[in-house]
Amino acid sequence: QVQLVESGGGLAQAGGSLRLSCAASTRTFTNYIITWFRQTPGKEREFVASISWSGSLTYYEDSAKVRFTILRDNAKNTVFLQMNSLKPEDTAVYYCAAKSGSYDRSPSRYNYWGQGTQVTVSS
């Protein structure tokens, strides 16, 4: 069982930065791939970035590849999403999710979810 808690969301101006955190309550954090998804009203949850258990492999959605960085600190059971050069279209609720096994971009493959954190980017 894994419990995930996101934090760090808020209001930012276009071009600004935010750092999201995903803290996990589990003794086996390194068993899990951690992925950030985001969702806007009326749309499906979409993949943003993912990180392997060791942190050595990272994957990004195309628009996030240059502007966002996903990191993990296994000593602190925490994954971060550093978001720079924010755009209004980044406005969404951001969720972190965990799964064991291989990397996957589909939300349906993830067993554990946080409650989400709102990110709002003003123009």
Side-chain angles (χ1 to χ4, degrees):
Q1 193 77 351
V2 182
Q3 292 184 323
L4 302 172
V5 178
E6 302 96 336
S7 61
L11 178 64
Q13 291 188 333
S17 297
L18 284 173
R19 192 185 203 199
L20 306 184
S21 298
C22 173
S25 297
T26 174
R27 294 184 178 180
T28 56
F29 186 59
T30 54
N31 285 357
Y32 297 96
I33 291 167
I34 304 295
T35 297
W36 287 96
F37 293 88
R38 65 186 179 187
Q39 189 171 25
T40 54
K43 293 190 176 180
E44 293 186 356
R45 208 162 284 190
E46 65 176 14
F47 170 84
V48 177
S50 185
I51 191 164
S52 64
W53 70 270
S54 66
S56 62
L57 296 174
T58 56
Y59 309 88
Y60 295 94
E61 186 266 335
D62 285 346
S63 70
K65 201 171 292 184
V66 176
R67 301 181 296 121
F68 296 0
T69 303
I70 188 169
L71 305 163
R72 71 189 290 162
D73 183 341
N74 286 338
K76 296 183 178 179
N77 280 18
T78 303
V79 170
F80 304 96
L81 184 68
Q82 178 66 44
M83 305 189 295
N84 299 326
S85 302
L86 285 164
K87 302 177 180 180
E89 50 264 42
D90 294 319
T91 296
V93 177
Y94 284 70
Y95 299 89
C96 64
K99 69 180 296 289
S100 56
S102 58
Y103 152 72
D104 202 295
R105 294 190 175 210
S106 174
S108 65
R109 302 292 187 180
Y110 287 78
N111 309 100
Y112 306 104
W113 291 85
Q115 82 290 349
T117 186
Q118 176 70 48
V119 170
T120 302
V121 183
S122 63
S123 58

